[in-house]
Amino acid sequence: MDARPTLLVIAHGSRDPRHAATVAALCARVRSLRPGLRVEVGHLDFNAPRVPRVLERLSAEGTREVVALPLLLTRAFHAKSDIPAALREATARLPLLNVRQADVLGPSSLLTDALERRLAQAGLRPGDRRSTGVVLASAGSSDPEAIAVIAETAREWRHTAGWCAVRPAFASASLPRTADAVRELRAEGVGRVAVAPYVIAPGFLPDRIAAGAREARADVLAPVLGAAPELARLLLRRYDQAVPGRARGDLAALIA
């Protein structure tokens, strides 16, 4: 039996079938980067299999170590509350299974590298940077920590990449909305405005981001991050960071 912990990728889930398909494609890329590593997917809502069922199956098959990795870009409500609660409830019934919750994906330079890839796919070139303002459009959150991380990501990305401006925007819970951020950049005299969705998979909120970009007539709308190779490498980085020194027999430490 492989001694490495199983990687359980925890996705939120969506009624939109594109969401689960994108998560599956991303996990397939992770497997291709590290052959032999067992990679499973569990969902919090809407899609099957749900996280508790995956853990039950792994335990029944003899798995003893799992790294649960939230497929989230910021440490907001799901990472702080929903996922730990789901892991506690499931592992309380599975005493032989040790689960460690890995960190969320962001912030990371690999994420901005993936954003750069998507903008290039949408038609932007390196010479466009000085005349292009970017709207970093995320799903949004009511968690101040998550909002602050998005704002800092925008500032750092502008500093390191050389865009003439990078502004955060949100599809829900926070302001400004995507369309308003595009209009603000236009009002400031920015010649070209691109919208970079800071979301992993298609769904309701990413569609709202795209609608806002079209409403405000953004010049460029990039695809979602999807199964970008940078994202797959980041999942493995978070997995590796969670593995060393993993505790045994102390559930509270494992999923705190």
Side-chain angles (χ1 to χ4, degrees):
M1 183 179 294
D2 195 327
R4 290 177 295 183
T6 294
L7 171 57
L8 171 59
V9 177
I10 301 181
H12 181 272
S14 172
R15 293 186 178 90
D16 189 320
R18 297 173 297 169
H19 178 94
T22 300
V23 173
L26 176 59
C27 290
R29 188 181 285 275
V30 172
R31 294 185 190 101
S32 72
L33 290 176
R34 191 165 297 180
L37 175 64
R38 184 170 184 177
V39 181
E40 299 282 346
V41 179
H43 302 270
L44 290 176
D45 204 355
F46 301 115
N47 302 110
R50 300 290 178 87
V51 171
R53 302 292 84 77
V54 178
L55 292 174
E56 289 167 5
R57 174 167 53 81
L58 289 173
S59 182
E61 292 172 357
T63 298
R64 295 295 172 256
E65 298 281 345
V66 174
V67 170
L69 198 163
L71 196 60
L72 300 170
L73 300 179
T74 59
R75 183 172 160 75
F77 179 79
H78 293 304
K80 294 177 180 178
S81 181
D82 281 0
I83 291 175
L87 296 179
R88 286 191 185 94
E89 189 279 330
T91 53
R93 296 181 285 101
L94 305 167
L96 298 180
L97 191 65
N98 288 332
V99 180
R100 176 177 292 277
Q101 181 175 327
D103 287 340
V104 297
L105 299 178
S108 170
S109 61
L110 284 170
L111 288 172
T112 49
D113 289 346
L115 289 165
E116 297 271 0
R117 174 187 294 275
R118 295 307 186 217
L119 285 169
Q121 290 176 344
L124 287 180
R125 298 293 175 259
D128 298 330
R129 292 176 185 273
R130 292 296 178 187
S131 61
T132 302
V134 178
V135 174
L136 180 66
S138 77
S141 173
S142 58
D143 188 305
E145 178 187 348
I147 297 304
V149 167
I150 297 296
E152 178 58 29
T153 298
R155 287 191 292 269
E156 181 66 17
W157 189 20
R158 178 181 182 272
H159 175 72
T160 57
W163 302 106
C164 76
V166 179
R167 298 290 171 78
F170 307 95
S172 67
S174 305
L175 297 175
R177 295 290 187 256
T178 302
D180 294 331
V182 172
R183 294 187 185 105
E184 288 171 7
L185 289 173
R186 293 264 192 239
E188 293 171 12
V190 174
R192 182 188 292 106
V193 178
V195 173
Y198 194 51
V199 291
I200 294 172
F204 176 74
L205 293 178
D207 284 350
R208 182 180 286 179
I209 290 171
R214 290 190 293 268
E215 175 191 334
R217 298 185 179 181
D219 300 286
V220 175
L221 171 61
V224 299
L225 295 172
E230 296 85 358
L231 202 59
R233 292 202 300 273
L234 182 54
L235 263 68
L236 288 173
R237 177 180 295 179
R238 295 291 184 253
Y239 169 85
D240 290 338
Q241 290 168 341
V243 170
R246 58 187 184 275
R248 294 175 179 270
D250 183 355
L251 179 60
L254 289 170
I255 61 176

